[in-house]
C-alpha cells in the first residue's frame, strides 16, 4: 500500500475481514473512532467539544471489567480536572481506597504490618509508609519526595484522585461523552475501510448477525488497542522489541495466602505483587511469552504461576477477572497515514510496569482531539495534524524505554539483581525518589514550542485568580484561553476573529504579579506567555500557528 503521511489526499483500500455484500449505508460523520475504551471515549469527547460530529464504534456490549490499569498519574488527573470531572474522579478514588483499606485490614502476620512479626495477627494492622508509585516493583516512599520541586507546583487539587482503576474510569468517561451528545454504537465491529481524497468509507459488522453497515467519515482514528485492526489494515509500520516475559494479573478467590507479602516482591524466579485490592495478584516469569494469549486464564494456570513465583502453596478457587501480559514493546513510526490516525495502545504497546499506558493514551487523546476538530471545521490547515506525531511520538518513545529499563532491573539473574541494588539505593534518597516520581507522574513532560518563556510548551499552572476561581475552571468548554493579567486591550484585541475557539479572560493573579498574559491551548499546554517587564512578542503568531488565520483576515 502506497500512502503519503504528509497529505490528506491519500487513497487507500483496506481489505475487510468479513464479507460485506449486503450493506446498509449510514449518514456522514466528521470522525469515526474505533474503540470505546478510555482513550476512544476521551478523544470522542474532545472532538465533540471542538464541534465535530463523531461516531464511536465498539464490538463489546458493555465496559470491559477485566482488571487492567489501577490508577492515573498527575497529567491525566489534571486533564480531567480541566474538563470539570474532578468530583466524579474523587468518587471513584474513594471507592477504590475503601477496598484498599479493607485489604489492609484483612492482612496479618509477617510482612503485613501486624507490628510484632510473630504472625499472631491480633494487633491492628499498621499501614505502610505512604507510597508514590514504583519503579520495577521498587516502592517509592512519599515521605522521601521533595514536593517543593517546581515541577509539582500549582497542579491543582489532583493529589486525591490517583487511585482510579480503568473500568470505573471508562464508565466515567462514557457518562461524560454521553452528556456531550457523543454517539457510541456498541456491538458493532469495524471490519474494513477505504480511504480516498474526500474521506473514509468504514465497513461495520454488527455482532448480532444483522446486516453489515457502511458509514462515511472525513477521518478514522484507531483507538482499538494493541492488536489494532485499524493499524494493520492501514499499513502502519510497528517496529520494536520482542517479548521475553509472561505476566498474569487477576482478581481471584484464594486460600493459603497468609505467607504472601503485600506490595511488590522479587524472588529467585520472578516478581509478584499482592494487593492493594482484595484478591488481586500479579506474577511475572522470565521464561518467554505465553504460547496462548486468547483463551481465558484458568484457576489452574494462575495457581501454577503463583506457586512457581512465590514458592507458596496458594490455592486459587475462582478467577473473577484476569489477563495475560508481556513486555512486547512497539511503536508506530507515525501516528497519521493520510486520513487514518492512531491513539493509545493502537499507536504504542509496552509492559504495564509503572502504570504509563493509560496515561500515555489519555495524553494522545487530549493532544489530537482539538486539532482534528479544527481541521474538520476548516479553521486550521491539515498540516496542524503533523504536530500530533511531532509532540506525542517522543513521549511514547520515552515510555517504551522506561518500561524496558524496568524489565532489565527486574530480571532474576545476577547482573540485573546487582543493578537492582543500585537502583534501590537511589530510590532511598530524596533526590532519587523525586526524580522517579517526576517521571512517573508526567510532570516533566513538555513540548518543544516556539517561544522563550519558561512556561511555553509546559502544562499551564493552575493559577488562582483574583475572583477565587482557578485556571482549570475556565477550560471546561474545551476552548483555548487567552488570559489577560495586565488589563491590556491590545492583548485582548489579538483574539479578534477567534470567537468560539479562544475565550478571553481579563483578571489578575496575586500570586504571580510578574505574569502579563498566557495563551493556553485546549489541551492545557501553554502556547505563549509574557511577563509584565518582558520583551516577548504578542500572541499573534501563536494564535495563527494553532488556530489558523482569524475569521475576516
Amino acid at each position: 500500500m502506497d500512502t503519503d503521511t504528509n497529505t490528506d489526499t491519500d487513497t487507500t483500500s483496506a481489505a475487510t475481514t468479513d464479507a460485506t455484500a449486503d450493506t446498509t449505508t449510514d449518514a456522514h460523520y466528521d470522525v469515526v473512532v474505533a474503540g470505546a475504551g478510555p482513550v476512544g471515549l476521551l478523544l470522542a469527547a474532545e472532538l465533540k467539544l471542538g464541534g465535530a460530529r463523531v461516531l464511536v464504534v465498539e464490538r463489546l456490549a458493555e465496559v470491559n471489567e477485566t482488571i487492567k490499569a489501577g490508577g492515573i498519574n498527575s497529567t491525566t488527573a489534571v486533564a480531567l480536572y480541566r474538563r470539570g470531572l474532578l468530583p466524579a474522579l474523587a468518587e471513584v478514588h474513594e471507592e477504590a481506597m475503601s477496598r484498599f483499606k479493607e485489604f489492609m485490614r484483612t492482612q496479618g502476620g509477617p510482612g503485613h504490618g501486624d507490628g510484632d512479626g510473630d504472625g499472631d495477627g491480633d494487633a491492628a494492622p499498621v499501614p505502610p509508609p505512604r507510597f508514590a508509585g514504583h519503579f520495577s516493583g521498587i516502592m517509592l516512599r512519599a515521605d522521601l519526595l521533595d514536593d517543593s520541586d517546581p515541577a509539582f507546583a500549582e497542579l491543582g487539587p489532583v493529589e486525591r484522585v490517583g487511585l482510579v482503576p480503568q473500568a470505573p474510569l471508562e464508565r466515567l468517561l462514557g457518562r461524560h461523552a454521553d452528556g456531550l451528545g457523543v454517539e457510541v454504537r456498541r456491538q458493532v465491529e469495524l471490519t474494513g475501510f477505504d480511504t480516498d481524497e474526500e474521506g473514509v468509507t468504514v465497513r461495520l459488522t454488527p455482532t448480532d448477525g444483522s446486516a453489515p453497515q457502511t458509514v462515511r467519515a472525513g477521518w478514522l482514528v484507531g483507538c482499538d488497542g494493541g492488536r489494532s485492526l485499524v493499524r494493520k489494515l492501514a499499513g502502519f509500520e510497528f517496529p520494536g522489541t520482542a517479548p521475553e516475559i509472561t505476566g498474569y494479573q487477576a482478581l481471584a478467590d484464594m486460600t493459603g495466602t497468609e505467607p504472601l507479602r503485600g506490595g511488590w516482591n522479587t524472588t529467585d524466579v520472578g516478581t509478584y505483587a499482592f494487593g492493594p485490592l482484595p484478591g488481586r495478584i500479579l506474577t511475572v516469569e522470565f521464561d518467554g511469552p505465553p504460547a496462548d494469549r486468547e483463551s481465558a486464564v484458568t484457576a489452574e494456570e494462575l495457581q501454577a504461576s503463583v506457586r512457581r513465583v512465590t514458592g507458596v502453596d496458594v490455592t486459587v478457587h475462582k478467577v473473577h477477572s484476569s489477563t495475560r501480559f508481556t513486555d512486547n514493546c512497539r511503536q508506530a513510526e507515525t501516528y497519521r497515514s493520510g486520513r487514518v490516525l492512531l491513539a493509545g495502545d493502537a499507536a504504542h504497546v509496552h509492559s504495564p510496569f509503572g502504570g504509563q499506558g493509560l496515561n500515555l493514551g489519555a495524553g494522545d487523546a487530549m493532544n489530537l482531539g482539538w486539532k482534528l476538530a479544527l481541521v474538520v471545521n476548516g479553521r486550521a490547515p491539515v498540516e496542524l495534524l503533523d504536530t500530533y506525531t511531532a509532540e506525542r511520538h517522543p513521549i511514547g518513545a520515552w515510555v517504551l524505554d522506561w518500561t524496558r529499563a524496568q524489565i532489565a532491573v527486574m530480571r532474576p539473574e545476577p547482573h540485573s539483581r546487582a543493578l537492582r541494588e543500585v537502583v534501590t539505593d537511589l530510590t532511598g534518597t530524596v533526590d532519587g525518589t523525586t526524580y522517579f516520581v517526576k517521571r512517573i507522574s508526567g510532570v516533566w513532560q513538555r513540548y518543544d514550542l516556539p517561544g522563550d518563556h519558561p512556561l511555553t510548551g509546559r502544562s499551564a499552572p493552575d493559577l488562582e485568580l483574583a475572583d477565587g476561581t482557578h485556571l482549570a475552571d475556565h477550560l471546561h468548554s474545551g476552548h483555548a484561553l487567552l488570559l489577560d493579567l495586565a488589563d491590556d486591550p491590545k492583548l485582548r484585541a489579538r483574539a479578534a476573529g477567534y470567537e468560539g475557539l479562544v475565550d478571553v479572560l481579563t483578571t489578575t493573579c496575586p500570586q504571580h504579579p510578574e505574569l502579563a498574559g498566557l495563551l493556553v491551548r485546549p489541551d492545557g499546554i501553554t502556547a505563549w506567555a509574557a511577563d509584565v517587564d518582558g520583551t516577548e512578542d504578542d500572541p499573534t503568531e501563536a494564535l495563527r500557528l494553532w488556530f489558523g488565520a482569524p475569521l475576516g483576515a
Side-chain angles (χ1 to χ4, degrees), residues 108-196:
H112 298 293
D114 67 353
D116 57 11
D118 61 7
D120 59 15
D122 294 333
V126 177
R130 189 166 65 93
F131 66 90
H134 76 88
F135 179 84
S136 193
I138 302 169
M139 304 309 295
L140 304 170
R141 291 172 44 184
D143 59 320
L144 291 177
L145 173 64
D146 178 12
D147 54 14
S148 68
D149 190 292
F152 299 112
E154 296 178 303
L155 294 176
V158 299
E159 272 194 357
R160 57 192 177 94
V161 296
L163 195 58
V164 179
Q166 183 162 326
L169 176 63
E170 189 173 320
R171 288 192 290 271
L172 184 158
L173 291 173
R175 293 191 295 270
H176 174 55
D178 183 65
L180 294 173
V182 172
E183 182 181 349
V184 179
R185 198 177 299 181
R186 288 189 172 272
Q187 294 182 281
V188 174
E189 188 170 9
L190 182 150
T191 51
F193 57 86
D194 301 302
T195 67
D196 53 53

Side-chain angles (χ1 to χ4, degrees), residues 347-546:
H348 35 68
V349 296
H350 50 82
S351 76
F353 301 122
Q356 295 295 315
L358 173 60
N359 299 294
L360 181 59
D364 293 346
M366 294 299 297
N367 189 285
L368 175 60
W370 64 277
K371 294 175 180 177
L372 185 52
L374 284 172
V375 172
V376 161
N377 292 321
R379 294 299 301 269
V382 71
E383 287 77 16
L384 179 63
L385 297 179
D386 294 337
T387 68
Y388 170 52
T389 296
E391 292 178 354
R392 295 303 301 170
H393 198 278
I395 294 177
W398 173 83
V399 167
L400 265 64
D401 280 345
W402 186 255
T403 60
R404 288 184 180 112
Q406 292 182 77
I407 294 296
V409 174
M410 196 178 287
R411 290 190 187 105
E413 54 89 22
H415 297 85
S416 292
R417 289 300 161 90
L419 178 61
R420 188 177 189 85
E421 289 297 322
V422 174
V423 175
T424 300
D425 285 346
L426 289 174
T427 62
T429 67
V430 171
D431 287 345
T433 292
T434 302
Y435 167 81
F436 282 105
V437 174
K438 285 168 66 173
R439 292 281 162 167
I440 293 170
S441 66
V443 297
W444 65 276
Q445 296 175 10
R446 69 178 300 274
Y447 300 142
D448 186 15
L449 305 187
D452 298 326
H453 195 280
L455 291 177
T456 301
R458 297 188 178 277
S459 179
D462 190 40
L463 301 176
E464 183 176 357
L465 306 176
D467 62 359
T469 64
H470 286 76
L471 181 70
D473 298 323
H474 302 278
L475 296 174
H476 292 186
S477 67
H479 296 169
L481 178 67
L482 181 60
L483 193 62
D484 172 19
L485 297 173
D487 194 13
D488 183 355
K490 292 183 179 179
L491 175 60
R492 298 193 294 272
R494 302 302 182 191
Y498 293 101
E499 291 79 7
L501 300 180
V502 181
D503 297 334
V504 180
L505 177 63
T506 301
T507 184
T508 60
C509 180
Q511 285 77 26
H512 290 279
E514 77 282 2
L515 283 177
L518 295 177
L519 175 62
V520 182
R521 302 190 324 188
D523 57 356
I525 298 298
T526 305
W528 169 88
D531 291 334
V532 172
D533 59 354
T535 59
E536 291 88 351
D537 294 332
D538 66 39
T540 299
E541 290 305 313
L543 286 164
R544 285 181 172 268
L545 173 63
W546 300 113

Side-chain angles (χ1 to χ4, degrees), residues 38-107:
V39 176
L41 291 170
L42 182 57
L43 174 62
E46 291 300 295
L47 286 164
K48 189 69 174 181
L49 285 171
R53 187 180 182 206
V54 57
L55 170 67
V56 181
V57 295
E58 169 60 55
R59 64 180 179 82
L60 297 179
E62 303 290 344
V63 169
N64 186 353
E65 299 290 342
T66 301
I67 182 171
K68 293 182 180 178
I72 57 176
N73 69 6
S74 296
T75 56
T76 301
V78 168
L80 300 180
Y81 164 49
R82 288 168 174 157
R83 294 299 183 259
L85 298 176
L86 188 63
L89 283 173
E91 290 183 10
V92 174
H93 173 88
E94 288 303 318
E95 170 62 23
M97 278 300 298
S98 68
R99 297 176 64 196
F100 167 69
K101 292 174 182 177
E102 173 63 18
F103 172 77
M104 290 301 299
R105 187 188 66 79
T106 61
Q107 299 310 298

Side-chain angles (χ1 to χ4, degrees), residues 84-321:
L85 298 176
L86 188 63
L89 283 173
E91 290 183 10
V92 174
H93 173 88
E94 288 303 318
E95 170 62 23
M97 278 300 298
S98 68
R99 297 176 64 196
F100 167 69
K101 292 174 182 177
E102 173 63 18
F103 172 77
M104 290 301 299
R105 187 188 66 79
T106 61
Q107 299 310 298
H112 298 293
D114 67 353
D116 57 11
D118 61 7
D120 59 15
D122 294 333
V126 177
R130 189 166 65 93
F131 66 90
H134 76 88
F135 179 84
S136 193
I138 302 169
M139 304 309 295
L140 304 170
R141 291 172 44 184
D143 59 320
L144 291 177
L145 173 64
D146 178 12
D147 54 14
S148 68
D149 190 292
F152 299 112
E154 296 178 303
L155 294 176
V158 299
E159 272 194 357
R160 57 192 177 94
V161 296
L163 195 58
V164 179
Q166 183 162 326
L169 176 63
E170 189 173 320
R171 288 192 290 271
L172 184 158
L173 291 173
R175 293 191 295 270
H176 174 55
D178 183 65
L180 294 173
V182 172
E183 182 181 349
V184 179
R185 198 177 299 181
R186 288 189 172 272
Q187 294 182 281
V188 174
E189 188 170 9
L190 182 150
T191 51
F193 57 86
D194 301 302
T195 67
D196 53 53
E197 293 184 0
E198 302 300 324
V200 188
T201 300
V202 182
R203 296 188 290 279
L204 307 172
T205 301
T207 59
D208 63 1
S210 58
Q213 305 163 1
T214 298
V215 296
R216 184 72 176 161
W219 300 83
L220 170 64
V221 185
C223 298
D224 50 341
R227 304 177 195 179
S228 169
L229 183 63
V230 172
R231 183 189 68 235
K232 294 172 182 175
L233 294 182
F236 284 87
E237 296 294 327
F238 202 49
T241 51
E244 61 180 61
I245 70 169
T246 292
Y248 296 93
Q249 183 174 207
L251 289 174
D253 294 336
M254 299 177 288
T255 56
T257 60
E258 291 79 10
L260 298 181
R261 297 181 61 88
W264 287 83
N265 304 272
T266 57
T267 72
D268 292 339
V269 176
T271 296
Y272 77 91
F274 186 43
L277 303 178
R280 187 259 189 170
I281 188 74
L282 180 149
T283 63
V284 181
E285 299 179 75
F286 288 80
D287 54 355
D292 179 9
R293 290 291 306 276
E294 303 297 332
S295 63
V297 177
T298 65
E300 293 76 15
E301 181 183 2
L302 179 63
Q303 175 178 287
S305 180
V306 173
R307 290 184 175 186
R308 282 193 300 269
V309 174
T310 69
V312 176
D313 286 336
V314 169
T315 299
V316 177
H317 300 281
K318 182 177 181 180
V319 177
H320 297 284
S321 175

